[in-house]
Amino acid sequence: MIAVALAQIRIHWARFLAIGLGIALAAGFVATTLIINSSLQNSLENAVGRSFSHADLTVIPGKDVFVGGDEVAPLLGPMSDIDGVHTASLSARTLTTGRGTSFSESSFALSPLPADAHLDSFDLVSGQRPNAPTDLVLDASTAEDLGAAIGDEIRFTVDSVPVETGDDDTPIYRGPSHSSVTFTVVGLAEMGEDPALPGANRALTTASGYQEYFAQQGDVIAIQIALDEDANAAEVRERLQSVIDSSDLDGSLDALTVDDAVDVKTDRLSGGNSVITALLLGFAGISVVVAILVVSNTFSVIVAGRRRELALLRCLGASRGQMYGSVVAEGLFVGLLGSVFGVLAGIGVSRGLMLAAVRYWPEEFPYDTLTVPVSALLTGIGVGALLTILATIRPARSAIAVTPLEALQPFDVSFTPSTRNRPRQIIGFGCIAVGVGLVIASLYAVSGGQEWIIGGALGGGLLVTGLVISSSQIIPPIVGWIGEVLFSPWGLPGQLATLNTLRNPRRTATTATALIIGVTLVATILVGGMSTKATLGHGLDQRYPVDVSVPLSGIVDDDALAQVREIPGVAHAVTAHRAEAVEDFKGERPEIYVIDPETASTVLGDSAADLVPGRVVVPEDYSDATVRIKGLNEMNVPVHREGLSSLAFFTTPEVGNSIGVSATSTSVLVRLDEDVDVDEIDRIQQSVAEALDVSSDEVGGSAVARGVYSELIDVMLAGAVGLLFVSVLIALIGVSNTVSLSVIERRRENALMRALGLSIAQLRSLLALEAVLISSVAALVGLILGTGLGIVGTRLLTYGYSTDLIVDFSVPAFLGILGVAIVAGILSALAPARRAARLSPVEGLKLDF
């Protein structure tokens, strides 16, 4: 029977070609994901190893332990005094912002220079190593990007130590403690990439300079140990650990060999890669499910078209087991062949993606090492083979379910549902009912706990699962109704197309279901992402009705305020004083602004409540009758409950005078134009920071926060939709398969219609309308279902952030998805229509079926 299976594949290779393509896409997706993950992991390990390349031993912080540079400094001396230790150098990192003459504010990852030049992991290109505390060595690529050169000055933002009065009875309001210090570039070096911060601007200064200005902000990466030539590494390692254990950092630091440290650091830094890999494999799993539906449906049609041939084999002595094995062998061979091609294509795609990433996003993807593990190849091939075996189980069972005598009789498709399908129907509709009930319950109960988000996700999953199981009862009636309403006006081809799609409801349902899954997920992500972005923005405006706020520790210069007002996109900018809240509200310390009502009306959002003289405006759910605030003095002030602003409270100058607000505790409040695009917010933030001579990190507000998460959501949407395109493509291949095999089944019927006067153009229209009807109905159902699930997901995720649900979706995107489905349906019918048109009526009527 193996020979029979191979003969079938050789003779009817065109029927199996599309099956192999769908399997190749799914298997290639899996292999590509694993190859990319392995390549990133290998590149990360090389980068980490390069950081410790000249050390003999290393001391690193424990997992999830933050250790500041100022905490480790006292240990460097005792470690250096250990017998066998030549030097102990601190390797740390501080994220700060700097501004130079040739560039505006930029972020920097700044580290101390190793005390021993032997431990340098960089190559000096020009200039010299820093000597003075304010000397700086820039990474060569950073200098090129910023237009900086040796001799330039860069002003960095640093944290100064707050001055304590020592008098608890007279608390004073202290503004931001940020100050700045100017460094001079004395050298350029090739530093490579920081594996924890790819793409960051990198710079080095002396250990003393780092300790004085940045150690309190930064975190320790490692302490690199250089040993004497005759030192015993194992003994020195034990002594290092003893010094650590006897210090205040006992349990926070571990002395390790370089190889062990590289492994530990790589494992910690690869957490992000693991998450990305898991997400990619999740999307690959969706593609595999879709491929199983497509392959199963196609094999069912192939087996149904060979019923007489299978019956003849039974008459010649083939057993049921042999027939079953023959069908499974066909599927396994096609699956293996398709998987091999898919995996080979995955290697090429992985290489192409990595080259494209390095070329177009060199900062985010600085590595170009392609690693192709054998396990990834075997996994891809195994997944393809397994999905094909699973997909051929139902067709194989149908091949042995018919007796030889029954199969030799004329075969007509029955529209009467079989009683054997009743358990399937019960399970399917049961899943739908439970899913809908769970979704509704989650919407009502989410106020009681965030765990109901999982309940809503489970309900949505059950709803989609129930639709897949009971699709043969749900999809055909929808197809029939839409075909009757929209396709009947196309005349005879439209009417025949509708009838042909209903001829085999199960096949139509399975074909449509594969596409519904992909479109539903795309619509869910689009609607959910856009609605979540809009709802979070609305909620943030309610909780903090200030577009942009900048806390300052001095009187605002009129010229600086005028510069802020002239920034494109800024509608109004005013100054306000700040008081300090003594207690938290809902786990956060609210800002308290002292501002007169007339000025407040120009900069506060529409959701802000009107100010009441002598009171502090608090949200409606504020429970106390007073709020305790302080300036130079501290007192309880009556509240006025209105609105939802929980992150910012507002009061009038009378209250500010009563508590003695300092004249230097000011803020600049900015109202943006209504039509400012989210993409412009980052530019406005940088411009405001430059005008007020502060770090951009100090420029906050609801608009700034909205810009940050909007950019993140947009990136996630683009990536998810792009990945789901593979599933949609596999589903469209299934539509093409269905139309192609229906042409093969209906050769005699098509020839008879041609003989009765049906033109070639009408025949082509008939097949095109069949494909368009299936694909468009699937797209419509997927869009409707995905929209509903996206809205539900948005409500569950944003319940605690906004009282209102803002539904937002892109009409052009939806029309685009529907248009793609229609165009794909037409394209999928081109080859079958050409095949049907080539067959003359006389030749078609001669065929014996």
Side-chain angles (χ1 to χ4, degrees):
M1 296 303 293
I2 298 296
V4 174
L6 295 178
Q8 288 290 339
I9 296 173
R10 185 177 64 255
I11 296 172
H12 304 292
W13 63 269
R15 303 185 186 184
F16 295 96
L17 182 61
I19 296 177
L21 181 58
I23 296 170
L25 286 172
F29 198 160
V30 174
T32 300
T33 299
L34 297 176
I35 291 171
I36 291 177
N37 174 69
S38 179
S39 299
L40 291 176
Q41 188 78 4
N42 187 61
S43 298
L44 180 60
E45 185 174 348
N46 292 338
V48 173
R50 188 165 52 247
S51 302
F52 301 144
S53 58
H54 297 146
D56 297 310
L57 292 173
T58 58
V59 178
I60 63 175
K63 185 177 182 180
D64 299 327
V65 175
F66 175 87
V67 180
D70 53 337
E71 298 177 278
V72 170
L75 288 179
L76 296 179
M79 287 183 177
S80 299
D81 293 338
I82 294 175
D83 291 338
V85 174
H86 184 266
T87 54
S89 295
L90 177 66
S91 177
R93 180 198 307 112
T94 293
L95 297 180
T96 185
T97 56
R99 185 177 297 155
T101 56
S102 61
F103 60 91
S104 59
E105 183 182 85
S106 297
S107 298
F108 283 83
L110 202 144
S111 301
L113 201 72
D116 186 352
H118 173 71
L119 294 175
D120 287 350
S121 58
F122 62 88
D123 297 321
L124 199 64
V125 175
S126 59
Q128 62 183 22
R129 290 177 99 248
N131 295 314
T134 56
D135 284 351
L136 194 73
V137 171
L138 277 182
D139 178 58
S141 61
T142 296
E144 182 179 357
D145 293 339
L146 299 179
I150 294 177
D152 287 356
E153 293 184 343
I154 300 177
R155 184 156 54 95
F156 288 104
T157 301
V158 298
D159 278 341
S160 60
V161 179
V163 178
E164 301 292 343
T165 63
D167 186 359
D168 295 335
D169 296 330
T170 311
I172 64 171
Y173 180 82
R174 290 189 298 274
S177 60
H178 288 84
S179 61
S180 60
V181 63
T182 301
F183 281 70
T184 302
V185 179
V186 297
L188 302 178
E190 294 288 349
M191 300 181 188
E193 290 291 340
D194 186 338
L197 296 169
N201 295 323
R202 301 189 64 187
L204 297 171
T205 187
T206 59
S208 59
Y210 181 86
Q211 195 66 33
E212 180 177 355
Y213 298 110
F214 302 104
Q216 290 184 336
Q217 306 175 59
D219 61 307
V220 171
I221 300 173
I223 300 174
Q224 300 194 59
I225 307 296
L227 301 180
D228 295 331
E229 293 184 1
D230 57 347
N232 186 303
E235 294 178 358
V236 172
R237 178 169 168 265
E238 292 180 359
R239 294 171 189 156
L240 289 170
Q241 193 64 53
S242 298
V243 171
I244 295 169
D245 294 341
S246 60
S247 70
D248 294 337
L249 293 177
D250 179 24
S252 299
L253 297 173
D254 298 315
L256 302 173
T257 64
V258 172
D259 291 340
D260 289 343
V262 170
D263 292 339
V264 171
K265 281 285 188 180
T266 301
D267 289 340
R268 294 176 185 176
L269 293 174
S270 63
N273 292 346
S274 300
V275 172
I276 294 174
T277 303
L279 290 174
L280 290 176
L281 288 176
F283 286 111
I286 295 170
S287 299
V288 170
V289 172
V290 173
I292 289 175
L293 292 173
V294 170
V295 173
S296 178
N297 189 45
T298 306
F299 261 104
S300 295
V301 176
I302 292 175
V303 170
R306 288 164 39 197
R307 289 170 62 90
R308 290 191 174 186
E309 179 183 331
L310 294 173
L312 181 59
L313 291 173
R314 290 291 310 280
C315 291
L316 294 176
S319 65
R320 290 178 179 268
Q322 288 176 316
M323 300 301 300
Y324 191 96
S326 175
V327 176
V328 173
E330 290 179 27
L332 181 59
F333 183 82
V334 175
L336 287 174
L337 194 60
S339 299
V340 170
F341 279 104
V343 166
L344 292 177
I347 297 174
V349 171
S350 300
R351 182 59 178 170
L353 289 175
M354 189 157 289
L355 290 176
V358 172
R359 178 176 180 181
Y360 296 105
W361 300 284
E363 295 182 349
E364 289 77 9
F365 298 95
Y367 316 118
D368 59 355
T369 302
L370 181 66
T371 304
V372 184
V374 177
S375 59
L377 305 182
L378 296 178
T379 301
I381 295 174
V383 167
L386 181 60
L387 80 84
T388 313
I389 292 175
L390 294 176
T392 54
I393 290 177
R394 191 183 74 180
R397 291 177 59 188
S398 65
I400 65 174
V402 183
T403 63
L405 181 60
E406 183 183 356
L408 291 173
Q409 295 174 353
F411 175 67
D412 293 314
V413 177
S414 175
F415 290 90
T416 305
S418 170
T419 56
R420 290 177 298 177
N421 290 328
R422 287 178 182 173
R424 180 188 181 95
Q425 297 170 21
I426 293 173
I427 295 174
F429 286 108
C431 287
I432 293 176
V434 173
V436 172
L438 193 54
V439 166
I440 295 175
S442 299
L443 289 174
Y444 280 100
V446 69
S447 59
Q450 293 296 308
E451 63 273 5
W452 282 99
I453 295 176
I454 300 177
L458 181 60
L462 286 174
L463 180 59
V464 175
T465 302
L467 176 63
V468 173
I469 294 174
S470 56
S471 60
S472 59
Q473 306 299 316
I474 298 175
I475 303 300
I478 299 176
V479 172
W481 180 79
I482 293 180
E484 185 69 25
V485 173
L486 299 180
F487 283 52
S488 293
W490 291 81
L492 182 60
Q495 298 173 10
L496 290 175
T498 303
L499 293 175
N500 285 337
T501 54
L502 298 176
R503 175 178 296 185
N504 193 320
R506 189 170 185 177
R507 180 193 308 173
T508 299
T510 305
T511 303
T513 300
L515 185 55
I516 286 174
I517 293 175
V519 175
T520 296
L521 292 172
V522 170
T524 300
I525 291 174
L526 283 177
V527 175
M530 297 181 68
S531 298
T532 297
K533 187 166 60 173
T535 303
L536 287 178
H538 178 71
L540 192 57
D541 289 339
Q542 290 178 324
R543 300 173 69 195
Y544 195 84
V546 181
D547 287 342
V548 177
S549 64
V550 186
L552 300 173
S553 57
I555 298 175
V556 182
D557 183 78
D558 291 338
D559 293 337
L561 192 61
Q563 290 181 14
V564 173
R565 291 170 178 161
E566 293 173 357
I567 296 173
V570 171
H572 300 281
V574 301
T575 58
H577 288 88
R578 284 178 289 112
E580 186 176 355
V582 176
E583 298 178 351
D584 291 350
F585 177 64
K586 293 184 177 180
E588 296 184 72
R589 188 69 56 91
E591 300 280 353
I592 297 184
Y593 293 105
V594 180
I595 186 171
D596 67 88
E598 183 178 353
T599 303
S601 64
T602 63
V603 292
L604 299 187
D606 297 334
S607 61
D610 295 331
L611 273 65
V612 178
R615 292 178 177 267
V616 177
V617 178
V618 297
E620 298 170 352
D621 56 351
Y622 193 84
S623 58
D624 297 333
T626 61
V627 58
R628 191 164 186 81
I629 61 176
K630 66 179 180 180
L632 296 176
N633 303 308
E634 184 176 320
M635 62 182 294
N636 291 324
V637 182
V639 302
H640 172 73
R641 300 184 185 90
E642 185 180 354
L644 300 169
S645 178
S646 60
L647 297 177
F649 296 171
F650 300 91
T651 190
T652 54
E654 301 96 290
V655 176
N657 293 331
S658 299
I659 62 174
V661 174
S662 173
T664 59
S665 60
T666 58
S667 284
V668 173
L669 306 184
V670 179
R671 178 75 181 269
L672 302 182
D673 292 333
E674 296 293 337
D675 57 349
V676 167
D677 192 76
V678 174
D679 297 335
E680 294 292 307
I681 293 177
D682 183 65
R683 174 190 59 79
I684 294 174
Q685 180 186 16
Q686 295 285 346
S687 300
V688 170
E690 187 171 351
L692 298 177
D693 195 24
V694 298
S695 166
S696 62
D697 296 335
E698 300 175 66
V699 181
S702 59
V704 175
R706 186 165 59 248
V708 172
Y709 67 69
S710 292
E711 182 179 359
L712 176 62
I713 291 176
D714 288 341
V715 171
M716 294 176 62
L717 285 178
V721 171
L723 293 171
L724 286 172
F725 175 74
V726 178
S727 301
V728 175
L729 181 61
I730 294 174
L732 291 174
I733 291 174
V735 175
S736 179
N737 280 354
T738 298
V739 177
S740 298
L741 294 172
S742 67
V743 168
I744 296 173
E745 286 181 334
R746 302 200 310 260
R747 285 184 179 180
R748 182 172 242 189
E749 177 183 324
N750 291 338
L752 180 59
M753 288 191 295
R754 287 284 313 281
L756 294 176
L758 188 72
S759 66
I760 292 179
Q762 288 178 316
L763 179 59
R764 288 174 174 169
S765 300
L766 166 64
L767 297 173
L769 289 174
E770 276 188 52
V772 169
L773 180 57
I774 296 174
S775 59
S776 59
V777 168
L780 283 172
V781 173
L783 289 174
I784 295 172
L785 182 59
T787 299
L789 293 178
I791 293 173
V792 169
T794 299
R795 179 69 288 183
L796 293 176
L797 290 173
T798 62
Y799 182 83
Y801 298 91
S802 175
T803 58
D804 301 318
L805 172 64
I806 310 298
V807 178
D808 187 18
F809 60 91
S810 173
V811 175
F814 276 25
L815 293 178
I817 293 173
L818 186 59
V820 167
I822 293 174
V823 171
I826 294 174
L827 294 177
S828 66
L830 291 180
R834 186 165 55 249
R835 185 183 303 113
R838 285 201 303 263
L839 183 66
S840 67
V842 175
E843 293 175 347
L845 291 173
K846 284 182 179 180
L847 295 175
D848 182 22
F849 287 96

